[in-house]
Amino acid sequence: GEDVEQSLFLSVREGDSSVINCTYTDSSSTYLYWYKQEPGAGLQLLTYIFSNMDMKQDQRLTVLLNKKDKHLSLRIADTQTGDSAIYFCAEPGTYKYIFGTGTRLKVLA
Amino acid sequence: GAGVSQSPSNKVTEKGKDVELRCDPISGHTALYWYRQSLGQGLEFLIYFQGNSAPDKSGLPSDRFSAERTGGSVSTLTIQRTQQEDSAVYLCASSPGPGQGSYEQYFGPGTRLTVT
């Protein structure tokens, strides 16, 4: 079935690294996405990775993809209070995205 | 350029009333999606439009929910005889359409619906 799983909460101290994990179901997905939702706002694409890549780095963000285990992670280096948000991983399904439940990241000053 | 817009941003309605939510996608985007986000929940897919047709309505929770899209642009989501469990944020997204690259979806800010 279609199910993308994430842990619900993560709390880190400012300056530490955050790692948000996701497991997905469809091994044929061509792209996998991370979206960020700040309080009271819609979702914004944060980054994505093409399925033939193992890793993608974009400034403070590192995406790791383990296709064998269908595991995706997002690492945020030097986490800041402005990174506090809900982070969703998503894979494209037929006609729609399949979103994870979202991980609420809380950054403690 | 203009992003996806939704109106109203907030709607409070009484149980049993009908409501209509509007989404203006990015110009030229052929694909349009509606999702629902309940408090503390993830995103629940409702319906997808490609142009004016909806090949996937599987996510509509009941026959009180309907959606249409006209002119390949604006879409409205209508909820009839609203119930308290309909209270949620309704998000609209658009994308360029099938075969158009990374399939990124661009989201609007959402409409927060509260049914009292």
Side-chain angles (χ1 to χ4, degrees):
Chain A
E2 299 176 331
D3 202 9
V4 178
E5 296 184 351
Q6 299 178 240
S7 53
L8 293 180
F9 298 101
L10 177 64
S11 180
V12 300
R13 296 206 172 274
E14 190 174 18
D16 288 350
S17 293
S18 308
V19 179
I20 302 171
N21 295 302
C22 169
T23 56
Y24 61 96
T25 57
D26 187 355
S27 59
S28 66
S29 294
T30 52
Y31 293 90
L32 292 154
Y33 305 85
W34 284 103
Y35 278 81
K36 178 183 180 181
Q37 185 181 33
E38 295 184 357
L43 276 70
Q44 185 174 18
L45 181 68
L46 196 59
T47 187
Y48 65 90
I49 188 167
F50 191 49
S51 61
N52 68 355
M53 299 169 67
D54 297 324
M55 185 181 82
K56 178 180 179 181
Q57 188 146 7
D58 183 2
Q59 299 183 336
R60 292 190 298 121
L61 306 178
T62 303
V63 179
L64 295 177
L65 175 61
N66 181 331
K67 287 193 72 175
K68 174 176 172 291
D69 295 336
K70 297 181 188 173
H71 184 264
L72 183 72
S73 68
L74 174 69
R75 179 176 181 268
I76 306 173
D78 188 25
T79 312
Q80 303 297 307
T81 54
D83 295 325
S84 293
I86 304 175
Y87 292 80
F88 293 90
C89 63
E91 62 173 342
T94 305
Y95 302 135
K96 64 188 179 189
Y97 272 17
I98 303 162
F99 283 89
T101 51
T103 299
R104 185 179 295 273
L105 174 64
K106 183 175 181 179
V107 182
L108 305 173
Chain B
V4 178
S5 60
Q6 294 185 245
S7 61
S9 54
N10 279 285
K11 176 71 177 178
V12 180
T13 190
E14 292 180 353
K15 178 181 172 181
K17 300 280 190 184
D18 297 351
V19 295
E20 195 171 274
L21 312 180
R22 176 185 168 110
C23 172
D24 281 88
I26 291 173
S27 177
H29 280 189
T30 61
L32 186 147
Y33 308 79
W34 284 98
Y35 296 88
R36 178 168 73 174
Q37 185 177 27
S38 302
L39 186 64
Q41 302 295 313
L43 271 71
E44 177 188 4
F45 168 78
L46 298 179
I47 190 169
Y48 156 75
F49 286 93
Q50 178 56 40
N52 290 337
S53 62
D56 190 349
K57 303 179 183 179
S58 63
L60 293 177
S62 75
D63 59 7
R64 296 187 295 105
F65 287 70
S66 63
E68 65 174 14
R69 189 179 185 195
T70 55
S73 182
V74 172
S75 176
T76 54
L77 176 69
T78 301
I79 309 172
Q80 296 177 308
R81 305 182 302 282
T82 51
Q83 303 295 311
Q84 287 186 330
E85 62 262 29
D86 300 333
S87 296
V89 176
Y90 290 82
L91 293 166
C92 174
S94 71
S95 72
Q100 300 298 317
S102 67
Y103 307 102
E104 176 183 351
Q105 293 191 5
Y106 297 79
F107 281 81
T111 293
R112 181 175 297 278
L113 175 66
T114 304
V115 181
T116 61

